[in-house]
Amino acid sequence: MPNEPVVLLHGFYHGAWAWTEVIAELVGRGRTAVAVDMAAHGRHATSPASAGRRPFDPVAYATEPPPVSGVGLDAAADLLVAQLDSVGRGKVGVQRLFIAQADTAFPKTPRRSSS
């Protein structure tokens, strides 16, 4: 397809914002480009609760589980597929296959508990 959208996915501790200049360049070259946020990143990020407490408690901040600790592969994949569905107008067969293969390749990856 001549102008299938280019979907950009950031690394850890970043967000879709990291691709701003790349998207501008791609669009300038006539390509359709979009960046999505991973679960617990970008627009989906939250700060540790202790970060906003006053007076600041460095021990609480250092020992509090990070907000991303509750995000498992299932939740991350669900969000990514939903975003790709909206960008690709429902055509994410390849992405679903990739996610399934990644899940098989890394069987010990922590998963969200079903309880």
Side-chain angles (χ1 to χ4, degrees), residues 50-58 60:
S50 59
R53 291 194 194 121
R54 297 295 178 258
F56 180 71
D57 181 352

Side-chain angles (χ1 to χ4, degrees), residues 7 23 26 29-30 38 51 53 58 61 72-73 75 89 94 96 104 107:
V7 179
I23 289 174
L26 289 168
R29 294 176 183 218
M38 290 177 28
R53 291 194 194 121
Y61 186 76
L73 180 60
R89 298 171 288 284
V94 172
R96 289 182 197 275
T104 301

Side-chain angles (χ1 to χ4, degrees), residues 7-63:
V7 179
L8 302 165
L9 184 62
H10 60 83
F12 287 110
Y13 303 108
H14 286 84
W17 55 264
W19 295 108
T20 303
E21 292 181 25
V22 174
I23 289 174
E25 180 69 25
L26 289 168
V27 170
R29 294 176 183 218
R31 293 300 311 259
T32 300
V34 65
V36 298
D37 284 314
M38 290 177 28
H41 292 77
R43 292 178 299 124
H44 308 289
T46 57
S47 295
S50 59
R53 291 194 194 121
R54 297 295 178 258
F56 180 71
D57 181 352
V59 174
Y61 186 76
T63 58

Side-chain angles (χ1 to χ4, degrees), residues 69-94:
S69 64
V71 178
L73 180 60
D74 292 336
D78 289 347
L79 176 62
L80 178 58
V81 168
Q83 292 180 94
L84 293 173
D85 270 336
S86 69
V87 170
R89 298 171 288 284
K91 301 176 184 177
V92 295
V94 172

Side-chain angles (χ1 to χ4, degrees), residues 73-74 77 97-111:
L73 180 60
D74 292 336
L97 178 60
F98 171 77
I99 290 167
Q101 288 176 336
D103 195 32
T104 301
F106 302 99
K108 294 183 179 181
T109 300
R111 297 180 143 282

